[in-house]
Amino acid sequence: MRSLRVGIDVGGTFTDLVAVESWSGRTVTHKLASTPREPQRAVCDGLARLLAQYDPPPAIELLAHSTTIATNALLGQIGLELPRAGLVTTAGFRDVIEIGRQNRSEIYNLFVRRPRPLVAREDRLTVRERIDYRGQILLELDESEVRRVCAELGARNVAAVAVCLLHSYANDVHERLLAQAISAALPAARVMYSSQIDPQYREYERFSTTVVNAVLAPIVEAYLERLARDLRRRGVSTTLLVMRSDGGLATAQRIRSLPAAIIESGPAGGVIATAALGKQIGDARLLSFDMGGTTAKAGAVVDGVVQVAGEFEAAGATHSGRAVKGSGYPVRFPFVDLAEVSAGGGTIAWRDAPGVLHVGPLSAGADPGPACYGRSDRATVTDANVVLGRLNPSALLGGAFPIDAARARAAIESVAEPAGLSVEAMALGIVAIVDHAMAKVLRIVTVERGIDPRGFTLCAFGGGGPLHACALAEELGIARVVVPAHPGLFSAIGLLDAMLVETELHPVLQTTAQMDHRAVERWFARSESRAAQALAVQGARPENIAFRRQYDARYQGQSFELTIEHDASPEAIAARFHDAHRARYGYDVRSESVELVNAKLTGVGSLPFVRDFDAGPQARGGDRDGAAARKVYVAGGFVDVPVLQRALLADGRRVDGPAIVEDYDSTTYVPPEWSLAVDGEMLRLERQVA
């Protein structure tokens, strides 16, 4: 049967669509403007354009989707109003979600404001009950309290309710009673309880995660229902899969109960695609580098495994690639460990009052965009690359998007003239500053995680990634760079490489000397059984399901944990933690007790038909490569540099830098002392060491 495997990445500006044909392995791509008020419309329009190319249209065997709708809702995007929600908690803990931690997002700002609580104070109700940290009931939940809460919530007409009681991670009997009663009294409301969503200690983070999940549920559920309805109208009946923040897929039905699991859905695709590319080329240690129009993101693949963190702050701010604590809403769901910085093609270069040059954090965005787009006079990184000759001075997107090189030069000159610099020197300075800023995010996911980047390969994608990749690699001592096929749509390609994922967590809160190892083993066994069943329901074959057992561990008395792998004995588990602590912080204390906070089980299942596709190298150009030449600023002056068309490069072709390779959706710059080799659909760049 002729069928397609389709991945659709919905971003704030563009919706990217990638499809692979089952009968040929050919990759078909589309890029169209997103429709923020009705994001499902761009998805359906893209599919319609895809299927219109075929007669008769083939079946869609896989439809995987990533979306920014959850993030946009928390950021207050127009048309995505958060619903009125209620919170039910233990008496005395009404204001936990507003008090939070002592972290201040701006230490020296006396008037700093915390994020607006997602549940108004008048909608936070309390009940008299108490369970201690060991799970023992100190005060029973009275039935009259349950009736009172149900009546008050009904009077408030809330669309979602979060039930968060003290120490419910140890015993959730009261939470379940309340949730069942509220669900019966308010059948139209989405009711969630914390031991179901995030069964971990630390009340603030547990309450926040549950509240975020509850307020997002009506929005995400409505969106997925509209999308499924519109797809059915267009004759697409395959199961819709959605990418989670941890890079795994889940059915739309599963996501409806865990909408907070897709907050970081979009950025995860590029790292998943990087890991898949690593398997294809036999490289288990890669860094993903994604540079777009406004931001640059970095992630790491270590020994073939995408690095995943257990907590993030939704809708929070970042500074120099690091999340600003206290600026968002804590969410304890696993997510691909990414660092992000405001550095992209549209990042604006400007001078402060003393005359110091800055690049960012403000961006020209898509509208008005860089000066070379013809609608602005502000200098950007893209304009600097046009001035230096690294970007086509006439047009991009295969000639479809005109470039005004004179306007780009005038914009850079407006910044250069007050400093007494030439236009080219200022353009080099702008590129150097943004390269340094982007190198920081690569250091965050490597050096700051105890990883030496010099043994890694840098995978560069996005519209601007291949243009800056070699400079970043030099700064970090990396000798190898790869540029995948369709770099501008690489995150959408990651959707086709992702697998179904299920996760479970169990609080332990005991030292390795105290733990009941057999009891934990029994929990892992039961959890694997539940995860296998959930994955099978979503379409995974039993023989394609694998499990990973891990712990969150710390030295007793520490405040934060490291994630380590499971082992055969408590002593071996403790040894793993000591090793992990030394790798991260440079020391360990083997005489200290190791405390296990949580046991974690991750189940991964591949979809049965994915392996049936042959997406091998496609036919490429022969001897022609479209070679031309243009003036590029190299080593203090303009020189003639060959400009090659990627679609025409023959497999095995080698080119020494300086050189430029133009693709439909990206441009690769090969500096001096670097060489390029064409390897099927991929470009390999290596630094020539004397």
Side-chain angles (χ1 to χ4, degrees), residues 101-133:
R101 299 290 179 189
Q102 67 178 358
N103 297 328
R104 293 166 59 89
S105 57
E106 298 176 60
I107 297 176
Y108 302 108
N109 182 357
L110 298 178
F111 305 101
V112 64
R113 291 181 178 273
R114 290 186 177 275
R116 178 180 61 87
L118 297 176
V119 180
R121 194 169 194 272
E122 61 268 22
D123 293 329
R124 302 176 214 154
L125 310 181
T126 63
V127 293
R128 285 173 45 80
E129 65 85 39
R130 181 58 68 92
I131 293 174
D132 70 11
Y133 71 96

Side-chain angles (χ1 to χ4, degrees), residues 212-401:
V212 169
N213 205 71
V215 299
L216 287 178
I219 293 174
V220 172
E221 185 172 308
Y223 165 68
L224 292 175
E225 286 179 352
R226 291 194 302 270
L227 177 56
R229 179 198 62 211
D230 291 354
L231 289 173
R232 286 194 299 270
R233 287 177 178 173
R234 295 174 183 263
V236 179
S237 58
T238 189
T239 300
L240 176 64
L241 299 174
V242 183
M243 175 161 279
R244 302 167 20 140
S245 303
D246 60 3
L249 295 174
T251 61
Q253 185 65 35
R254 181 77 175 107
I255 292 300
R256 289 178 181 181
S257 61
L258 289 172
I262 65 167
I263 292 175
E264 294 291 315
S265 168
V271 190
I272 298 302
T274 298
L277 180 66
K279 291 180 181 177
Q280 178 185 333
I281 64 177
D283 195 335
R285 298 172 71 83
L286 298 101
L287 300 178
S288 72
F289 171 60
D290 178 6
M291 181 184 178
T294 57
T295 62
K297 306 176 186 70
V301 179
V302 181
D303 297 331
V305 178
V306 173
Q307 298 303 285
V308 174
E311 180 180 345
F312 63 98
E313 290 203 10
T318 60
H319 177 69
S320 294
R322 301 172 184 85
V324 178
K325 291 290 186 180
S327 64
Y329 305 102
V331 175
R332 285 196 299 198
F333 279 157
F335 76 109
V336 172
D337 189 8
L338 288 168
E340 181 176 340
V341 66
S342 295
T347 302
I348 295 171
W350 56 282
R351 295 167 58 85
D352 60 18
V356 177
L357 176 65
H358 299 268
V359 182
L362 295 180
S363 172
D367 187 10
C372 62
Y373 287 9
R375 298 190 298 272
S376 169
D377 294 313
R378 303 194 68 178
T380 68
V381 173
T382 295
D383 296 311
N385 280 311
V386 170
V387 165
L388 295 173
R390 298 178 184 181
L391 272 179
N392 194 308
S394 301
L396 301 176
L397 298 179
F401 193 92

Side-chain angles (χ1 to χ4, degrees), residues 81-270:
E81 281 190 29
L82 292 175
R84 185 174 184 178
L87 170 66
V88 181
T89 187
T90 304
F93 291 84
R94 178 186 188 186
D95 297 317
V96 163
I97 63 168
E98 190 163 359
I99 295 171
R101 299 290 179 189
Q102 67 178 358
N103 297 328
R104 293 166 59 89
S105 57
E106 298 176 60
I107 297 176
Y108 302 108
N109 182 357
L110 298 178
F111 305 101
V112 64
R113 291 181 178 273
R114 290 186 177 275
R116 178 180 61 87
L118 297 176
V119 180
R121 194 169 194 272
E122 61 268 22
D123 293 329
R124 302 176 214 154
L125 310 181
T126 63
V127 293
R128 285 173 45 80
E129 65 85 39
R130 181 58 68 92
I131 293 174
D132 70 11
Y133 71 96
R134 293 166 295 190
Q136 297 178 357
I137 298 176
L138 304 180
L139 178 62
E140 288 281 0
L141 176 64
D142 191 270
E143 194 173 316
S144 63
E145 291 278 272
V146 178
R147 290 196 297 269
R148 174 182 60 80
V149 164
C150 290
E152 290 189 32
L153 289 171
R156 284 167 167 76
N157 195 31
V158 294
V161 179
V163 182
C164 306
L165 302 183
L166 191 64
H167 299 309
S168 63
Y169 59 87
N171 184 348
D172 67 349
V173 59
H174 289 172
E175 273 197 354
R176 285 187 286 107
L177 284 171
L178 276 165
Q180 290 167 7
I182 295 168
S183 295
L186 285 74
R190 299 291 278 112
V191 181
M192 298 178 177
Y193 54 98
S194 70
S195 59
Q196 169 197 41
I197 303 300
D198 180 31
Q200 303 183 63
Y201 94 114
R202 294 192 177 107
E203 269 58 49
Y204 171 53
E205 288 78 9
R206 178 160 53 87
F207 287 18
S208 175
T209 302
T210 309
V211 167
V212 169
N213 205 71
V215 299
L216 287 178
I219 293 174
V220 172
E221 185 172 308
Y223 165 68
L224 292 175
E225 286 179 352
R226 291 194 302 270
L227 177 56
R229 179 198 62 211
D230 291 354
L231 289 173
R232 286 194 299 270
R233 287 177 178 173
R234 295 174 183 263
V236 179
S237 58
T238 189
T239 300
L240 176 64
L241 299 174
V242 183
M243 175 161 279
R244 302 167 20 140
S245 303
D246 60 3
L249 295 174
T251 61
Q253 185 65 35
R254 181 77 175 107
I255 292 300
R256 289 178 181 181
S257 61
L258 289 172
I262 65 167
I263 292 175
E264 294 291 315
S265 168

